Amino acid sequence: MRFRTGLALIAVLTMLLAGAAIGFTGVFGSGSGGDLTVRWTSDTARSIQGNHHAPAAGRIGSRGVVFAPTNGRRNTTECDLVALRATNGSERWTYPVPPANCTLHSVADPTIADYDGDGSREVLATTTEEVVMAFDPRTGAEELRANLSDYGYTQPLVADLVGNDEPEIVVVDVRGTVFVLRPDGTTAWRTDLSSYTNAQPAIADFDRDGGSEIAVGLVGDGGLHLLDGDGTRQWNLTAPFSGAITWMTTGQADGDDAIEIVVATDSGTVAAIDGEEGDVEWRRDVGEFAAVHAFGDGDRDGDPEVYAVGKDGVLRSSHASDGAIEWETTLTNADVRMTPPPSMGDVDGDGAPEIVAVTNDGRVSVVGPESGAVLATYEREGGIPIYTHPTLADTDGDGTAEIYVTYGDGRVVSLAYDERE
């Protein structure tokens, strides 16, 4: 078993260990309009404070399930994929990573998808056993194990990438090798981009030609690649920005047909790239350790926004079409190491989205997308850090998304937001 750290691990450890003072601006603490309450806290505590992979959550049949990746110290039994009941956080089943493979990155972000086209969704995840695995979400029975060339750092994707009307599993491992796997685990194609990757890859019809492509952002050379469904490199940008691409999101930013790719780099750049030609449409500097995840028309004005953060703890809403800032909100005035990106979803059941933002010092906030007003805030006792975005999912089927946050100690906290009358 090989554990390659390289630039990917260096980037993560830099985020985990670096410290910086934060300015205090914006509307932090204003506009309180609701309450965040704890539904449950999982019994998945680990001996480290560096867990940084987000859970997957959803409904399997009539039951809500949360799949939590927990990572721990090397050569221990702390590394698992844990299936939790969404109602109370109790454990349904656990897949234990062998102690010899247990590290900070042993289980990456899982995904819930029907990878084999049988009409039922499974849970998939990569591990430091250098494999991607699929499990029966109800029982934890292993359905698939396929070899990679290194461990995976990001979510597996399930889509018809090849264009044969059947799903494929798409995995980009930590050193930039793209695997496109058939449901039986055999390889449809693979290609080596020869650079580490941390940012979540994305699949879409970026150029609107009727077929799907995969976008991959890299750490090692900061490049961005768009690969066609057969692995052909459609375009690539070599070192287009200063720094490494560590976060990425996608969506329709303007009036053209192409899907845009929005990247964030550790040196502070947030930029939008046209998916058809690979042209940089705009770029903005938000300070070190820029991060993006939420992308959409949060304020329902007809134009989408990109919600970006930097190491300074400031949340920024920008026009997705040109990067112009709509508002800024300071989420914390603590001396934090980095700031994870926010997520967007309807957490109060009114049919309109809210922004759920987290901070490295453990704060969770619901933010109004119209003005950036902080509507409610939760702080867990003990000062446990947060390193990744929250997961929003309607796990009880009531039409309102619940909030699931992974803390550095491996615990998942489930929160509900209620708007005050």
Side-chain angles (χ1 to χ4, degrees):
M1 178 64 197
R2 304 180 303 278
F3 293 105
R4 303 175 181 88
T5 53
L7 291 174
L9 181 55
I10 291 171
V12 172
L13 292 179
T14 301
M15 289 191 290
L16 297 180
L17 299 176
I22 288 183
F24 184 63
T25 58
V27 294
F28 167 70
S30 68
S32 180
D35 298 291
L36 273 170
T37 56
V38 176
R39 300 175 65 242
W40 50 259
T41 300
S42 69
D43 185 20
T44 53
R46 300 297 184 258
S47 64
I48 64 171
Q49 296 287 310
N51 276 273
H52 56 277
H53 289 285
R59 289 181 65 77
I60 305 298
S62 61
R63 297 181 178 180
V65 186
V66 179
F67 300 100
T70 62
N71 298 294
R73 296 189 185 278
R74 189 183 297 273
N75 296 318
T76 69
T77 58
E78 294 184 326
C79 299
D80 306 278
L81 177 64
V82 185
L84 305 170
R85 294 176 177 84
T87 52
N88 58 17
S90 62
E91 180 182 315
R92 293 194 65 169
W93 55 261
T94 296
Y95 170 75
V97 174
N101 304 98
C102 188
T103 72
L104 184 64
H105 308 292
S106 286
V107 185
D109 300 32
T111 191
I112 303 170
D114 180 10
Y115 81 94
D116 54 7
D118 66 353
S120 299
R121 295 194 298 166
E122 296 81 24
V123 58
L124 299 96
T126 60
T127 81
T128 45
E129 299 163 90
E130 298 184 355
V131 296
V132 58
M133 304 179 68
F135 303 91
D136 183 309
R138 298 174 180 84
T139 66
E142 183 179 319
E143 295 189 2
L144 174 75
R145 177 185 290 248
N147 292 328
L148 307 174
S149 59
D150 212 319
Y151 67 89
Y153 187 84
T154 56
Q155 269 189 326
L157 300 170
V158 174
D160 177 16
L161 183 61
V162 173
N164 58 357
D165 296 323
E166 296 179 357
E168 289 88 36
I169 304 167
V170 182
V171 179
V172 182
D173 71 19
V174 74
R175 65 175 180 174
T177 304
V178 182
F179 291 84
V180 180
L181 306 172
R182 301 180 185 92
D184 63 1
T186 59
T187 301
W189 59 265
R190 60 174 283 183
T191 190
D192 185 0
L193 299 180
S194 301
S195 183
Y196 285 85
T197 179
N198 288 164
Q200 176 61 46
I203 295 174
D205 183 5
F206 289 99
D207 57 7
R208 296 299 193 184
D209 67 350
S212 294
E213 298 85 34
I214 178 170
V216 183
L218 302 176
V219 171
D221 62 6
L224 181 65
H225 298 258
L226 190 76
L227 305 178
D228 211 341
D230 61 2
T232 304
R233 196 165 305 189
Q234 191 154 318
W235 54 256
N236 66 281
L237 301 178
T238 302
F241 316 109
S242 61
I245 296 175
T246 50
W247 295 90
M248 194 173 82
T249 188
T250 62
Q252 178 56 258
D254 49 32
D256 64 12
D257 290 334
I259 299 295
E260 276 70 37
I261 303 163
V262 177
V263 301
T265 73
D266 59 355
S267 63
T269 298
V270 175
I273 297 94
D274 177 80
E276 182 174 7
E277 302 293 338
D279 298 327
V280 178
E281 297 183 346
W282 56 262
R283 67 180 73 196
R284 177 173 293 277
D285 187 357
V286 303
E288 286 185 289
F289 296 148
V292 292
H293 181 67
F295 182 161
D297 185 10
D299 57 11
R300 297 188 297 172
D301 65 353
D303 297 313
E305 291 81 32
V306 173
Y307 299 92
V309 293
K311 185 180 179 180
D312 59 1
V314 176
L315 170 61
R316 301 161 177 86
S317 173
S318 299
H319 291 287
S321 59
D322 59 10
I325 297 291
E326 292 187 346
W327 49 256
E328 296 183 347
T329 294
T330 297
L331 299 171
T332 180
N333 61 351
D335 183 12
V336 295
R337 300 168 179 176
M338 49 81 72
T339 302
S343 298
M344 183 168 65
D346 181 10
V347 296
D348 63 4
D350 67 352
E354 288 76 38
I355 306 301
V356 180
V358 296
T359 60
N360 186 231
D361 59 326
R363 183 188 300 265
V364 182
S365 297
V366 176
V367 178
E370 296 82 7
S371 65
V374 176
L375 306 176
T377 298
Y378 163 77
E379 294 184 72
R380 181 181 164 200
E381 293 183 4
I384 309 300
I386 302 172
Y387 291 107
T388 190
H389 59 82
T391 296
L392 311 183
D394 178 13
T395 53
D396 58 11
D398 67 351
T400 300
E402 289 76 48
I403 302 167
Y404 299 97
V405 180
T406 291
Y407 280 78
D409 64 352
R411 292 187 187 271
V412 177
V413 174
S414 176
L415 299 165
Y417 174 70
D418 294 303
E419 186 176 14
R420 296 195 192 113
E421 296 296 333

